[in-house]
Amino acid sequence: MNEEVIVSGRMNQMVDPHLHIWHWQISLYLFLGGMAAGILAIAAVYYIRGRENDYKTAVRLTPFLTPFLLVIGLLALFIDLRHKLFFWQLYTNIKLQSPMSWGAWTLMVITPVSFIWCALHIRDIFPSWDWKFKWLWALDEFFNKYKKALAWVMLIYAIILGIYTGILLSAFNARPLWNTSILGPLFLASGLSAGAAATLLLSKNEAERKQFARIDLVMIGIELFLIVHMFMGFLASTQVQIEAANLFLGGQYTMSFWIFVVALGLVIPAILEIMELGRYHIPVLVPAVLVLFGSLMLRFIIVYAGQVSRWLY
Amino acid sequence: MRYAMAVDTRKCVGCSDCVVACQTENNVPIGYCRDWIVEVTDGTYPQLEMEIRSERCNQCVNAPCVRCCPTGASHFADGGIVLVTQTECIGCGACIASCPYDARYPHPDGYVDKCTFCIHRIKNGMKPACVDVCPTKCLYFGDLDDPNSDVSVVLRKRKYKTLIPEAGTKPQLYFLI
Amino acid sequence: MTTRRNFIRISAIGAGALIAGAGSYKILKTLSKPEELKNLKLDLRRTATYCEVCFWKCAGWVYKTSEGKIWKIIGNDEDQNCNGRLCPRGTGGLGMYYDEERLKTPLIRVEERGKQVFRQATWDEALEVIAGKMKEISAKYGPESMALFSHGSGSAYYTTLFKAFGSGNIAEPSYAQCRGPRDDAFTLTFGEEVYSPEITDIRDTKCLVLIGSHIGENMHNGQVQEMSDAIDKGAVIITVDPRFSTAAGKSKYWLPIKPATDIALLLAWIHEIIYNEYYDKKYVEKYCTGFDKLREYVKDFTPEWAYGITTIKPDQISSTAKEMSDAAPAVIVHPGRHVTWYGDDTQRLRAVAIINALLGSWGRRGGFYRPARFDLAPVKLPPFKAPAREWSDLFPGKYPLASLTVSNAIIDATVPENNPAYPVKGWLVNGTNLISTIPNTPNTLKAIQNLDLLVAIDTMPMEITGWADVILPECTYLERYDSLRTGPHRKPSIALRMPAAEPMYDTKPGYQIARELAVKLGLQDYFPFEKQEDLLDWQLKQAGSSLEEMQRLGVKNFERDADDLYFAEDEEVEFYTDSKKIELFSPYLESLGFDPLPRYTQHPEPPEGYYRLIYGRAPMHTFSRTANNPNLTDLMDENSVWVNPKVAKEWGLINGQYIWLKNQDDIVTDFSVKVRVTERIRWDSVYIVHGFGHKQQQMKRCFGRGVSDTQMITKVLVDPIMGGTGMRSNFVTFVTEKAGEEVAS
Ligand SMILES: Nc1nc2c(c(=O)[nH]1)N[C@H]1C(S)=C(S)[C@@H](COP(=O)(O)OP(=O)(O)OC[C@H]3O[C@@H](n4cnc5c(=O)[nH]c(N)nc54)[C@H](O)[C@@H]3O)O[C@H]1N2
Ligand SMILES: Nc1nc2c(c(=O)[nH]1)N[C@H]1C(S)=C(S)[C@@H](COP(=O)(O)OP(=O)(O)OC[C@H]3O[C@@H](n4cnc5c(=O)[nH]c(N)nc54)[C@H](O)[C@@H]3O)O[C@H]1N2
Ligand code: SF4
Ligand code: SF4
Ligand code: SF4
Ligand code: SF4
Ligand code: SF4
Ligand SMILES: [Mo]
């Protein structure tokens, strides 16, 4: 028998008996950030490829969600900070090695970009709106002129944001479950999938819906592939990573992960979408909501389970 | 200059004096601690072995907590001591999540706190509070660049290990075995 | 129970914030900013003290912040007891001062005894009530019918008071519940006791044998420090303990003895040492008597014989005997301290003394040194009149060798059914929590119900204060002067305790309490100094120092009169025994009808499904006195019951589960206790740390945390030689459900 006891009764709050420093705020922040990244990336790609008119919802309408997603996400992050009065310190420092710093700055760029993108499409949505100020017109004109450049900026930062939501966690060597390079692509795919699901929900155009169901399917496929790879990687690795994987393979997070993330969030919506493409009539609401839910649960479970996984010494 | 500490696991009795001494010296609020004692027993009755370790921040050379800090609040000070500047810390918790030794905790006032190697004492020529109080004198402190420092001397004489060297943090807390 | 425990945790945190706020928090707040370190200017006023968290009495300094708040307590470098390093309890001693649940004013009982309904009173009123009752008892039954139980530094004043009053019934639990058998056994053998701090020369020993003595958990500071020095120097440690103690973890040999069989092991060792001619022939010849009788007596006590009794393998017995002799005379077979285990303890400690004599360690470097102490000039007092009846007259003929008052005998005498020779009607209890200190609590409570007066002087609302008629709140040791510490050590020394802060609340120092009571009893002549500082200054001036000097130094060491720490080569030594020699065979014991040579007697074994309850110390606590200390409960807030994995499996117990214990007399613990499944204990015993399971609700941090070993100790094996209460003869079993109660969580 091996017995390990902390005799001094260490009881550091949020650290003992196991780490629980990050809660729903971070999970939500990662989900909203990932979803916004997905939406903006898709909008930018279709705009750049000149498919704006085929996928009107994706390029013009769905992005209207992103300012809200990003602001709520930032708010969640802010709520999570314990020394709030000093939050501005995030923006007096650029720390290239800190994913948190990357995230803060990325959001600093992409949030205004998302606002501008929406502003450029306000007229599409409220055509009869009367723009009172001259300078607004000027501004509108300016950005319209450089809309392509703006789309590129948006695309790049959206991808950074999407990957960042995964990297934030995978950069932590200390938490074996997080410490896998697969988390970045996985969260990006999940974000894109959530972005596609958002358009699926909002679009009234049959062709567009079909296209986004296909995108979603591809993303789900990628996610499943990455998940399998992640476990294979863990199980072929050191003891600590095997233990990390075991959290999902018989350990305390097994049920929630396989039911909420894999079954409800990936497999079932995938089946439903295949059926939809195969001309069965499925209310579009169901797979789209399931995908969003699965994407949220993925963040929750990875954030929480990662804090349980630790080095053994 | 490279400050380090060595803990003699053969002498440490796990009394936790180093923990209370740190709490009073540094006003660590009750319910929190910067150092703690781990007691590991291996074997089956009556063939048993025991190792007792007084643990704290390892003042890693390759400190993930410094790397991941978005504001620079976590930084290296003289002699490689990893410190947190309270007025730069936003309490994001990234450093806590990044430390493989769970050596940091969120102070109830919001910032993150950890062992400072009692830098306020070493600057005044004293040893850290835990080192000075330990009844078994099993804690050794000093500058590794000084071959005559307590820690250099004892590390030359004895076998030692560090915790989770495979995490690549280059810890500066040595455990004499 | 969940909510209550959470509440306790939360309030503990609240208290922490309070303390942090009160300390030099503001200054330290910016400490991690290096630039600001340079301007760090703490007004480090420090005051001298010696620690009262246990009886080792380490001298230290109390540091205060610039706002004058107590910040920390640090050992005094000059002090031999601590060498500048306090133990965790001493470092956390400030928690006693900051504990917001302290006794705050004198209290007088208003409802029936034990119901714990009190009203606040003024000091004058409370002392008036006590003095009135004492006079009444004295008039009706004689002054001897008042008894004093006391432990700690205040004892001196109340002792003076009681002697002046005319009673010699003055008892400390440190005798019959603690060191009594050891000191009597060593006195029988060497003519001298081993004192406190013990005269064990551990720092220079080559072989340290610990029989039950669990140094490292028993945090008696100097010994822990010296054991560590000995480890550094490569000393061999041999630990005899049914439990893999911390010391066992540092030992070359761990002998996991079957409890209650130590005498058999000791006899086998003596056999080995004699028949292998390991003993120090010159020493034995020169200093000892009775060797031939001993030699003859142990002839058949072979390692094989002991194996059947102790479960320790013969080769382990032989090789450890060899280790000891290889190291001799720098070997210590440690006498231990809390030695009241099985009722034949004086005999067991005699065996320990005999081994040390055979190995020639008494008076030798690395063995036992000769102590020196500073003798203070006595204050001239009116003579005490000898009490008409002594404590030993209570039960004529009992405990003939008791060298100090047997506390449990006084308790027994308070119960009229026990037919004491004269009645005991009033108790003054100072600094001892009799309810968790004296075994067989039902008996103690029965005695209390027969009292006309019970006064408790304490700092905390402990179990004993709940039963009192009048409670007097003493201020903590950080708020008062006390007697000078002059205990023995390698060099004579004096240490001062002075207040670091004014007494908080309506509390008073012990000296003042005793003196004011003396005034009310018309005995003020026995307290000629109104202020203790004047007394101390007078005493110190007689000693060539002064209060002012001691306030600066804290501790003053003196040189020994002669270089006689150890026996000189071929020194003629006169021992204070009848024969003036080390008595291996004790004619005195024989004359009183006791075994002149230690005898192994078999003790009852636990019945099926029961386990022997053994207990000990945790390094971060002192008995019950630290149970509510915020700093120390932070380190350990409950005890756990250690269970061998085999036993756990049999009972289906899992690590961390909460259960109750039930003893052979069907007494079930008041509270539940956490199971610790560990290989570190034999399968015939379970282990808990003493001092937990408090029932006193005013102590919120410790109420209901863990269980009390004392509650399970209802069977007591009294040592017929000196009255010590053997407490390890109780057997417990596990109870996983208790009607109407939930386990704690
Ligand atoms: N079951 C069991 N019983 C035991 C033991 C055991 O291990 N198990 N150990 C035995 C031994 S070895 C001993 S020495 C005794 C110790 O027995 P005690 O000395 O009675 O031990 P404590 O329980 O600490 O009680 C001390 C009391 O003094 C109070 N006190 C603390 N400081 C002060 C002060 O400055 N002034 C005053 N007036 N009061 C103060 C505390 O609040 C507490 O009520 O217990 C013995 N009894
Ligand atoms: N931290 C701390 N230190 C203290 C105290 C304290 O309260 N807290 N109290 C001080 C006081 S007053 C005293 S008297 C001392 C007491 O300290 P010790 O003299 O060391 O106490 P013991 O009760 O003899 O030792 C307890 C050990 O005896 C073992 N044991 C139990 N039964 C047997 C047996 O049958 N045979 C053998 N060989 N071993 C057995 C137990 O497993 C346990 O390890 O501690 C002192 N030091
Ligand atoms: S004070 Fe020393 S002996 Fe005690 S636990 Fe700390 S390091 Fe170990
Ligand atoms: S032990 Fe943890 S907190 Fe300390 S330097 Fe290393 S990573 Fe940072
Ligand atoms: S909590 Fe403070 S010190 Fe830690 S990473 Fe965040 S800002 Fe840096
Ligand atoms: S070095 Fe100082 S801050 Fe670090 S654990 Fe020791 S006492 Fe605490
Ligand atoms: S051994 Fe510890 S508790 Fe006892 S007097 Fe010394 S410092 Fe105080
Ligand atoms: Mo004791």
Side-chain angles (χ1 to χ4, degrees):
Chain A
M1 181 172 156
N2 172 289
E3 189 191 15
E4 188 173 318
V5 208
I6 298 187
V7 285
S8 57
R10 186 172 86 160
M11 271 298 160
N12 279 339
Q13 281 164 47
M14 295 181 216
V15 180
D16 293 310
H18 64 81
L19 190 69
H20 48 293
I21 185 85
W22 281 347
H23 306 102
W24 62 269
Q25 299 92 328
I26 294 289
S27 312
L28 184 68
Y29 161 68
L30 294 179
F31 166 71
L32 296 175
M35 180 167 164
I39 294 171
L40 293 177
I42 292 170
V45 166
Y46 282 132
Y47 179 78
I48 290 165
R49 286 178 55 201
R51 307 289 299 272
E52 193 181 355
N53 290 324
D54 297 337
Y55 304 118
K56 283 206 182 86
T57 317
V59 177
R60 296 181 186 162
L61 184 62
T62 326
F64 273 89
L65 290 175
T66 59
F68 298 100
L69 298 180
L70 291 170
V71 167
I72 296 171
L74 270 170
L75 204 66
L77 179 66
F78 181 72
I79 292 174
D80 176 64
L81 299 184
R82 284 168 191 80
H83 219 201
K84 295 191 173 50
L85 289 179
F86 297 84
F87 84 97
W88 51 270
Q89 291 278 8
L90 273 172
Y91 295 109
T92 53
N93 293 282
I94 298 183
K95 295 280 163 189
L96 290 179
Q97 290 192 313
S98 162
M100 203 54 128
S101 181
W102 272 90
W105 284 106
T106 305
L107 284 165
M108 196 63 169
V109 175
I110 201 154
T111 311
V113 169
S114 79
F115 273 95
I116 294 169
W117 191 263
C118 295
L120 291 180
H121 297 102
I122 282 209
R123 269 185 300 166
D124 297 342
I125 296 173
F126 304 102
S128 52
W129 208 342
D130 173 27
W131 298 64
K132 280 201 186 100
F133 302 104
K134 254 240 160 85
W135 58 271
L136 270 177
W137 284 103
L139 217 65
D140 185 53
E141 204 169 313
F142 172 81
F143 279 118
N144 260 317
K145 202 160 134 203
Y146 296 106
K147 196 166 173 188
K148 199 121 198 178
L150 186 70
W152 275 107
V153 171
M154 195 162 91
L155 176 61
I156 292 167
Y157 274 89
I159 290 173
I160 295 178
L161 178 63
I163 294 184
Y164 152 74
T165 60
I167 298 258
L168 174 66
L169 300 181
S170 69
F172 291 123
N173 177 12
R175 313 293 149 196
L177 179 72
W178 292 347
N179 189 20
T180 162
S181 53
I182 290 179
L183 224 49
L186 178 63
F187 276 30
L188 178 63
S190 165
L192 287 168
S193 159
T199 297
L200 205 56
L201 268 181
L202 297 178
S203 177
K204 296 200 174 66
N205 175 327
E206 180 69 19
E208 192 179 25
R209 282 224 302 258
K210 284 262 148 72
Q211 172 67 1
F212 276 86
R214 272 193 290 273
I215 296 181
D216 218 18
L217 261 178
V218 172
M219 288 304 148
I220 288 176
I222 293 176
E223 282 179 69
L224 285 170
F225 171 80
L226 290 172
I227 286 174
V228 170
H229 256 251
M230 185 170 81
F231 282 112
M232 281 166 58
F234 278 144
L235 292 175
S237 192
T238 58
Q239 186 60 32
V240 286
Q241 275 164 320
I242 294 174
E243 305 233 343
N246 282 338
L247 285 169
F248 294 152
L249 304 172
Q252 66 185 110
Y253 286 95
T254 311
M255 293 290 270
S256 41
F257 181 75
W258 293 102
I259 294 179
F260 293 133
V261 177
V262 178
L264 286 177
L266 296 173
V267 177
I268 294 178
I271 294 170
L272 293 176
E273 277 164 3
I274 290 170
M275 283 163 68
E276 165 103 1
L277 291 172
R279 294 181 200 287
Y280 285 95
H281 188 74
I282 306 284
V284 73
L285 191 71
V286 179
V289 168
L290 282 178
V291 163
L292 290 177
F293 170 77
S295 182
L296 178 66
M297 286 311 288
L298 175 70
R299 276 22 173 242
F300 264 94
I301 291 172
I302 296 283
V303 165
Y304 280 82
Q307 297 183 75
V308 175
S309 95
R310 53 170 293 219
W311 285 85
L312 310 163
Y313 64 96
Chain B
M1 205 162 45
R2 176 68 251 187
Y3 289 121
M5 197 185 281
V7 181
D8 191 343
T9 61
R10 276 169 32 193
K11 290 200 293 185
C12 175
V13 292
C15 67
S16 312
D17 201 1
C18 44
V19 180
V20 217
C22 179
Q23 286 175 325
T24 57
E25 172 72 30
N26 297 305
N27 275 292
V28 176
I30 290 205
Y32 298 85
C33 56
R34 290 180 176 187
D35 53 349
W36 61 95
I37 316 301
V38 180
E39 190 184 86
V40 187
T41 315
D42 261 309
T44 319
Y45 172 94
Q47 246 71 52
L48 298 175
E49 258 177 55
M50 182 157 61
E51 176 178 287
I52 308 182
R53 300 189 300 258
S54 168
E55 297 184 10
R56 57 186 59 54
C57 166
N58 286 272
Q59 314 294 356
C60 306
V61 173
N62 188 9
C65 55
V66 173
R67 234 183 299 131
C68 76
C69 176
T71 67
S74 280
H75 65 280
F76 293 108
D78 292 354
I81 299 178
V82 174
L83 293 183
V84 180
T85 310
Q86 289 159 13
T87 49
E88 287 174 21
C89 174
I90 59 173
C92 66
C95 52
I96 295 181
S98 81
C99 172
Y101 310 96
D102 287 338
R104 297 173 163 240
Y105 67 90
H107 191 283
D109 282 354
Y111 56 86
V112 164
D113 193 41
K114 66 180 275 294
C115 163
T116 60
F117 262 0
C118 285
I119 192 164
H120 63 293
R121 290 171 62 94
I122 35 187
K123 294 228 160 167
N124 287 303
M126 294 187 278
K127 299 225 169 82
C130 53
V131 174
D132 254 357
V133 83
C134 173
T136 67
K137 295 183 224 97
C138 75
L139 300 177
Y140 300 83
F141 179 81
D143 177 4
L144 283 181
D145 292 340
D146 170 7
N148 297 320
S149 70
D150 292 353
V151 69
S152 301
V153 171
V154 78
L155 288 179
R156 269 203 304 280
K157 279 203 304 218
R158 293 273 301 272
K159 277 201 199 146
Y160 57 82
K161 65 173 183 187
T162 54
L163 299 180
I164 340 180
E166 62 277 26
T169 51
K170 296 212 176 68
Q172 295 304 307
L173 199 55
Y174 297 87
F175 293 89
L176 309 175
I177 45 179
Chain C
M1 292 278 262
T2 317
T3 45
R4 187 181 49 73
R5 288 205 172 201
N6 284 343
F7 171 73
I8 290 170
R9 172 130 300 140
I10 290 160
S11 60
I13 295 157
L18 212 121
I19 289 174
S24 62
Y25 187 59
K26 288 207 189 64
I27 303 152
L28 286 159
K29 221 176 144 154
T30 46
L31 268 190
S32 53
K33 253 197 147 176
E35 317 81 62
E36 298 189 27
L37 284 173
K38 292 180 198 116
N39 319 327
L40 178 72
K41 252 194 261 133
L42 282 178
D43 177 13
L44 293 181
R45 278 164 302 169
R46 58 177 201 181
T47 49
T49 190
Y50 62 85
C51 180
E52 182 76 9
V53 189
C54 86
F55 313 105
W56 201 257
K57 299 186 180 159
C58 301
W61 297 106
V62 182
Y63 283 82
K64 283 176 287 180
T65 63
S66 46
E67 296 105 60
K69 297 278 184 197
I70 292 181
W71 171 23
K72 59 179 178 180
I73 314 171
I74 303 291
N76 185 321
D77 287 334
E78 298 306 312
D79 182 34
Q80 301 175 91
N81 293 28
C82 80
N83 305 301
R85 292 159 188 263
L86 299 181
C87 88
R89 301 163 295 152
T91 308
L94 76 180
M96 279 187 157
Y97 168 76
Y98 282 117
D99 194 331
E100 69 291 358
E101 284 152 17
R102 275 165 62 172
L103 289 173
K104 293 172 183 162
T105 74
L107 296 168
I108 295 177
R109 176 169 67 82
V110 287
E111 279 191 29
E112 87 193 57
R113 196 176 267 146
K115 269 215 169 156
Q116 303 216 26
V117 187
F118 296 93
R119 67 174 171 85
Q120 288 190 11
T122 62
W123 276 95
D124 194 60
E125 195 186 358
L127 291 170
E128 196 67 56
V129 170
I130 298 168
K133 266 273 184 247
M134 281 176 77
K135 284 184 203 154
E136 225 175 80
I137 290 172
S138 175
K140 214 158 147 192
Y141 308 100
E144 317 83 62
S145 292
M146 276 301 302
L148 167 67
F149 296 89
S150 185
H151 204 186
S153 33
S155 297
Y157 325 129
Y158 302 106
T159 299
T160 306
L161 179 74
F162 264 64
K163 283 188 181 163
F165 185 69
S167 171
N169 287 335
I170 300 166
E172 302 214 355
S174 51
Y175 180 70
Q177 281 68 49
C178 179
R179 337 163 358 208
R182 170 190 89 175
D183 289 340
D184 292 342
F186 272 67
T187 306
L188 281 166
T189 314
F190 294 104
E192 219 176 330
E193 54 164 310
V194 287
Y195 303 100
S196 171
E198 282 81 2
I199 54 175
T200 43
D201 201 15
I202 302 177
R203 69 177 183 200
D204 281 331
T205 199
K206 295 197 183 113
C207 179
L208 176 62
V209 185
L210 300 172
I211 304 171
S213 179
H214 55 331
I215 299 179
E217 287 154 293
N218 152 3
M219 272 316 277
H220 270 175
N221 200 338
Q223 304 209 43
V224 177
Q225 296 190 12
E226 294 199 12
M227 183 168 89
S228 181
D229 293 342
I231 292 173
D232 248 352
K233 292 189 206 158
V236 170
I237 304 179
I238 298 167
T239 298
V240 183
D241 199 309
R243 183 181 65 98
F244 191 69
S245 59
T246 300
K250 318 259 169 229
S251 299
K252 183 166 171 190
Y253 301 89
W254 171 42
L255 311 185
I257 195 165
K258 180 199 259 185
T261 65
D262 296 81
I263 297 182
L265 173 69
L266 287 158
L267 290 174
W269 270 341
I270 295 175
H271 172 98
E272 284 296 283
I273 288 168
I274 291 181
Y275 287 91
N276 289 311
E277 310 212 356
Y278 289 159
Y279 62 96
D280 188 330
K281 294 198 189 77
K282 216 167 116 191
Y283 185 97
V284 167
E285 198 166 306
K286 196 168 169 64
Y287 298 132
C288 301
T289 73
F291 178 73
D292 295 334
K293 283 188 185 141
L294 176 68
R295 185 190 163 91
E296 184 53 30
Y297 174 69
V298 297
K299 198 168 69 198
D300 298 328
F301 299 140
T302 60
E304 288 71 24
W305 166 79
Y307 173 49
I309 296 169
T310 60
T311 73
I312 306 297
K313 298 214 173 66
D315 64 308
Q316 277 197 306
I317 299 179
S318 316
S319 48
T320 44
K322 176 86 171 44
E323 287 276 5
M324 290 180 220
S325 67
D326 287 348
V331 52
I332 300 166
V333 182
H334 199 287
R337 186 169 175 123
H338 170 68
V339 288
T340 50
W341 300 353
Y342 302 106
D344 53 3
D345 305 301
T346 310
Q347 291 294 9
R348 187 181 70 252
L349 273 303
R350 274 266 300 145
V352 170
I354 289 169
I355 294 197
N356 281 302
L358 293 174
L359 295 167
S361 64
W362 187 265
R364 310 290 273 280
R365 182 184 290 278
F368 295 78
Y369 63 78
R370 282 170 160 167
R373 79 186 308 155
F374 193 92
D375 288 320
L376 288 171
V379 181
K380 253 204 143 25
L381 297 181
F384 298 118
K385 49 180 186 323
R389 294 168 295 187
E390 283 288 357
W391 76 267
S392 48
D393 301 327
L394 283 168
F395 298 107
K398 259 190 168 177
Y399 322 131
L401 262 157
S403 53
L404 290 171
T405 314
V406 177
S407 47
N408 33 303
I410 295 198
I411 292 173
D412 290 344
T414 312
V415 181
E417 289 89 336
N418 293 332
N419 292 319
Y422 61 93
V424 175
K425 285 310 222 179
W427 291 359
L428 192 135
V429 181
N430 169 60
T432 171
N433 186 11
L434 297 181
I435 308 294
S436 59
T437 296
I438 308 286
N440 197 356
T441 314
N443 187 52
T444 310
L445 294 182
K446 201 160 148 201
I448 288 176
Q449 295 298 13
N450 280 298
L451 288 171
D452 288 352
L453 173 68
L454 172 52
V455 182
I457 305 169
D458 210 301
T459 53
M460 291 297 299
M462 285 276 171
E463 282 75 7
I464 184 66
T465 61
W467 291 96
D469 302 323
V470 185
I471 303 175
L472 300 178
E474 185 171 7
C475 56
T476 66
Y477 71 105
L478 297 173
E479 303 158 284
R480 66 184 197 229
Y481 283 103
D482 248 309
S483 319
L484 296 165
R485 187 203 78 187
T486 56
H489 218 291
R490 292 183 175 97
K491 284 179 185 172
S493 77
I494 305 179
L496 172 74
R497 173 186 291 162
M498 63 181 285
E502 285 294 306
M504 264 209 258
Y505 315 114
D506 193 12
T507 61
K508 286 191 181 188
Y511 182 86
Q512 229 166 302
I513 300 173
R515 189 172 188 282
E516 285 173 22
L517 189 53
V519 171
K520 292 235 182 283
L521 289 166
L523 302 168
Q524 62 269 35
D525 291 352
Y526 292 89
F527 290 84
F529 292 90
E530 191 185 332
K531 283 205 183 127
Q532 193 171 19
E533 340 22 338
D534 297 338
L535 164 63
L536 297 178
D537 194 42
W538 180 86
Q539 281 180 307
L540 286 165
K541 290 215 166 102
Q542 303 299 304
S545 177
S546 67
L547 188 58
E548 186 274 327
E549 185 191 48
M550 286 305 292
Q551 287 177 340
R552 258 187 302 113
L553 297 180
V555 171
K556 191 167 180 176
N557 293 318
F558 300 84
E559 286 312 311
R560 293 175 74 98
D561 291 341
D563 180 16
D564 60 352
L565 192 58
Y566 310 112
F567 295 172
E569 190 74 26
D570 291 323
E571 181 179 333
E572 293 300 329
V573 183
E574 212 174 82
F575 295 87
Y576 303 116
T577 54
D578 289 343
S579 61
K580 306 213 160 34
K581 296 225 168 212
I582 301 172
E583 298 194 341
L584 303 177
F585 177 95
S586 173
Y588 189 42
L589 278 177
E590 190 176 41
S591 73
L592 292 168
F594 297 114
D595 292 317
L597 286 164
R599 186 159 57 128
Y600 167 72
T601 17
Q602 201 189 337
H603 292 292
E605 306 251 330
E608 182 70 30
Y610 280 77
Y611 305 88
R612 188 182 296 274
L613 177 72
I614 58 177
Y615 55 82
R617 315 271 174 255
M620 8 1 210
H621 282 284
T622 305
F623 314 115
S624 53
R625 68 173 52 208
T626 54
N628 207 55
N629 178 316
N631 297 73
L632 299 176
T633 46
D634 198 29
L635 300 174
M636 177 180 182
D637 60 359
E638 63 185 323
N639 55 3
S640 57
V641 56
W642 295 31
V643 180
N644 183 285
K646 283 194 185 128
V647 177
K649 200 166 162 215
E650 207 174 297
W651 285 82
L653 300 177
I654 54 167
N655 208 26
Q657 175 184 359
Y658 281 85
I659 58 165
W660 290 266
L661 302 178
K662 182 174 87 173
N663 78 355
Q664 72 282 337
D665 297 330
D666 280 341
I667 294 184
V668 181
T669 51
D670 289 325
F671 306 104
S672 57
V673 63
K674 203 190 211 159
V675 172
R676 174 175 177 181
V677 179
T678 176
E679 298 280 358
R680 292 177 59 185
I681 179 125
R682 285 175 63 97
W683 51 79
D684 52 8
S685 309
V686 295
Y687 175 81
I688 56 179
V689 168
H690 168 64
F692 288 85
H694 280 271
K695 284 176 81 169
Q696 200 64 353
Q697 307 215 12
Q698 287 101 307
M699 297 193 293
K700 296 200 185 70
R701 271 179 292 271
C702 67
F703 171 76
R705 307 288 284 162
V707 293
S708 158
D709 56 334
T710 313
Q711 198 192 359
M712 293 290 97
I713 303 177
T714 45
K715 182 165 175 218
V716 183
L717 299 176
V718 178
D719 190 331
I721 300 180
M722 50 63 70
T725 50
M727 309 199 239
R728 293 195 178 146
S729 49
N730 291 263
F731 308 124
V732 295
T733 188
F734 311 114
V735 179
T736 48
E737 271 169 52
K738 187 171 163 187
E741 289 210 31
E742 263 176 66
V743 291
S745 56

